[in-house]
Amino acid sequence: MHTVVVGTSGVTASDVLAVARAGARVELSEEAVAALAAARDIVDALAAKPEPVYGVSTGFGALATRHISPELRGRLQRNIVRSHAAGMGPRVEREVVRALMFLRLKTVCSGRTGVRPEVARTMADVLNAGITPVVHEYGSLGCSGDLAPLSHCALTLMGEGDAEGPDGTVRPAGELLAEHGITPVELREKEGLALLNGTDGMLGMLVMALADLDTLYKSADVTAALTMEALLGTDKVLAPELHAIRPHPGQAASAANMLAVLDGSGLTGHHQDDAPRVQDAYSVRCAPQVAGAGRDTMAHAGLVAERELASAVDNPVVLPDGRVESNGNFHGAPVAYVLDFLAVAVADLGSIAERRTDRLLDKNRSHGLPPFLADDAGVDSGLMIAQYTQAALVGELKRLAVPASADSIPSSAMQEDHVSMGWSAARKLRTAVDNLARVIAVELYAATRAIQLREGLTPAPASRAVIDAVRAAGVQGPGPDRYLSPDLAAADAFVRAGHLVAAAETVTGPLR
């Protein structure tokens, strides 16, 4: 099994995906263990002094003015975990919780938090045992970090609360730790706070969304090309020299992908023969501009994620010169903004895909295709309601594009009076990404059927490869009306598994 070694300088997006989704093992580097021990020595020295130090010998948040005596500090650290584990609602997905735990471990291993090496080792042991704390949908305001979700994870380290075992059964965390020979941690000064105070949940969801969107944006380029073929559009608008004079890199990549898929097509350009059109509709002609803008948004979001993955997010932090200083690095604004920005791009990509699908089904705009791509229009309804479903999904995407990061709600007796709502931005982006796959699947279903209805014209080799692959996956072609949900579900699975992109790439080579 693949092993990810966590050092002091952060982790990569591929590390997060390996641990969260592929169950990779986690190990601590010798450098990280040494940094943990050195930072802990600083915290222990400060804890022994009579002067109060925030997070070490004081309360937290609005209660930070109280100095805590040494005999109460262990209880204080346990209590912050218990009281902050106040989430409600449905359980969060296993991959999100594993990303959350792994990214908190990443910050702990930076040597900036003051956590003992044995606590970090326990975090790694829990991940490696396949134990997943029960984390709930609601509880994080994204400042000070993802407090409630991280608290539920810390509760598991203490052997309290509920967790899911490797067999998928939810049981008391203490039982699961005992079965795997893991000793619950006894928290000391600073450690409870250090386990809770980070942007790890929203960052983990950003990393996974970017990975999913990389596949979906390529998929959308493929379906846009198939629709252009089915509508007998012109691929002249995809010429590299046209995109070079507006040099957005995402736009150039999207146009290049479409052009590669359409290479050798016997359908494109035929609209000049019998039904002259000066230009194709925006949803066809401007596909690279819209998808390209989304790609550039992803590039910006990826840069933010890269910076966060190299960060140590905690408050207070232990500095190399021995100081323990308060800060505001736990604020989730940088991550929240790009999560919201991505939701806008996702909504627009879904919207333009739906417009292309609708054009395929409208006999007044489809340039010779039967109404709703039906076998016997009037007796058959064809894909009429499949487009309704797609439109409903797009409507939801537009609602999910409303920014969460602009909706700060003060908390903690006005001490934490401006919050990021980054967790909420991440949660709605996950839903948006999920729905985008379904929107693209409907366009794929319609476009492949439409191409097959263009009798006497030969599609591009890449298009033919996609049609063959999607039919082999159980998505049926043209014919009389049938129960459509299974076909749409199969198309959805085909898209989100990356099989659409893979099928096209058997002809085109790697898409950009």
Side-chain angles (χ1 to χ4, degrees):
M1 181 181 291
H2 178 59
T3 297
V4 173
V5 179
V6 184
T8 60
S9 57
V11 297
T12 66
S14 60
D15 291 336
V16 177
L17 295 170
V19 173
R21 289 182 164 172
R25 288 187 58 79
V26 178
E27 293 181 2
L28 311 186
S29 71
E30 292 182 4
E31 175 193 28
V33 173
L36 284 159
R40 186 64 208 179
D41 288 343
I42 294 171
V43 170
D44 286 341
L46 290 171
K49 293 184 177 181
E51 299 84 9
V53 177
Y54 176 70
V56 176
S57 53
T58 70
F60 312 114
L63 304 176
T65 55
R66 178 178 172 183
H67 182 252
I68 307 299
S69 59
E71 68 273 10
L72 294 176
R73 291 175 189 169
R75 178 180 164 194
L76 168 67
Q77 299 300 321
R78 291 192 299 274
N79 283 350
I80 190 176
V81 172
R82 290 166 177 160
S83 66
H84 285 43
M88 295 181 71
R91 284 180 57 197
V92 171
E93 302 87 353
R94 183 176 185 270
E95 67 176 14
V96 172
V97 180
R98 286 185 61 83
L100 173 74
M101 294 173 66
F102 174 67
L103 287 169
R104 196 69 215 142
L105 177 61
K106 173 267 298 184
T107 282
V108 165
C109 286
S110 70
R112 295 287 176 262
T113 69
V115 168
R116 288 169 295 151
E118 49 264 48
V119 175
R121 289 193 185 98
T122 302
M123 297 171 76
D125 289 343
V126 169
L127 282 166
N128 292 339
I131 297 171
T132 307
V134 170
V135 174
H136 299 280
E137 180 83 17
Y138 302 106
S140 173
L141 299 179
C143 186
S144 302
D146 294 318
L147 288 174
L150 282 164
S151 297
H152 283 277
C153 294
L155 201 65
T156 294
L157 299 178
M158 292 165 50
E160 300 181 17
D162 294 325
E164 180 186 295
D167 63 353
T169 302
V170 174
R171 295 166 54 196
E175 292 181 10
L176 288 168
L177 294 186
E179 283 185 7
H180 289 84
I182 301 172
T183 302
V185 297
E186 290 285 344
L187 298 176
R188 289 169 50 182
E189 292 94 343
K190 178 74 169 65
E191 291 179 335
L193 183 61
L195 294 175
L196 315 184
N197 211 346
T199 54
D200 309 289
M202 63 182 90
L203 175 58
M205 286 186 274
L206 172 59
V207 169
M208 289 186 284
L210 286 170
D212 294 337
L213 288 173
D214 180 68
T215 297
L216 291 179
Y217 267 81
K218 292 174 185 175
S219 299
D221 291 341
V222 175
T223 57
L226 295 175
T227 296
M228 179 179 279
E229 271 197 299
L231 292 173
L232 306 179
T234 177
D235 60 1
K236 291 181 179 180
V237 296
L238 304 175
E241 58 270 26
L242 295 177
H243 297 279
I245 62 176
R246 193 189 190 193
H248 293 287
Q251 177 179 323
S254 182
N257 284 346
M258 291 182 64
L259 202 57
V261 172
L262 292 170
D263 186 37
S265 174
L267 284 83
T268 54
H270 279 271
H271 70 249
Q272 298 299 332
D273 298 340
D274 301 318
R277 278 172 276 157
V278 176
Q279 301 174 122
D280 291 314
Y282 282 9
S283 60
V284 178
R285 187 178 7 138
C286 302
Q289 284 77 8
V290 172
R295 286 170 173 273
D296 292 342
T297 301
M298 288 170 57
H300 171 58
L303 178 61
V304 171
E306 184 179 338
R307 290 168 177 164
E308 285 286 303
L309 289 168
S311 300
V313 179
D314 194 15
N315 178 47
V317 292
V318 181
L319 296 174
D321 60 9
R323 288 179 293 148
V324 175
E325 297 285 0
S326 293
N327 67 86
N329 284 342
F330 51 74
H331 200 289
V335 183
Y337 290 170
V338 294
L339 288 162
D340 280 335
F341 197 179
L342 286 171
V344 171
V346 165
D348 204 35
L349 186 64
S351 179
I352 197 170
E354 182 275 329
R355 287 294 79 205
R356 289 192 295 264
T357 303
D358 182 67
R359 185 165 289 273
L360 287 168
L361 306 190
D362 184 349
K363 70 180 183 65
N364 296 311
R365 295 180 292 138
S366 66
H367 309 288
L369 291 169
F372 304 105
L373 306 182
D375 187 61
D376 184 3
V379 174
D380 294 311
S381 294
L383 306 191
M384 180 191 295
I385 307 305
Q387 185 269 330
Y388 281 35
T389 298
Q390 190 187 40
L393 288 163
V394 170
E396 180 72 1
L397 287 178
K398 293 175 182 178
R399 290 186 288 274
L400 291 166
V402 176
S405 56
D407 189 27
S408 175
I409 299 177
S411 57
S412 193
M414 294 301 286
Q415 175 70 8
E416 299 171 7
D417 59 351
H418 186 276
V419 298
S420 77
M421 304 303 285
W423 174 273
S424 299
R427 295 306 296 167
K428 69 183 182 66
L429 178 60
R430 279 182 71 84
T431 303
V433 171
D434 203 37
N435 283 346
L436 177 61
R438 297 184 178 105
V439 170
I440 293 171
V442 176
E443 183 181 16
L444 171 66
Y445 189 47
T448 53
R449 178 186 281 215
I451 288 173
Q452 289 187 288
L453 290 171
R454 294 290 190 188
E455 297 180 359
L457 296 175
T458 304
S463 301
R464 183 74 260 168
V466 167
I467 292 170
D468 290 344
V470 78
R471 297 291 174 256
V475 182
Q476 298 185 52
D481 280 356
R482 56 182 171 270
Y483 178 27
L484 277 188
S485 281
D487 273 2
L488 297 176
D492 177 33
F494 186 78
V495 169
R496 68 180 67 232
H499 297 326
L500 169 57
V501 174
E505 288 181 336
T506 61
V507 175
T508 65
L511 295 174
R512 293 165 58 183

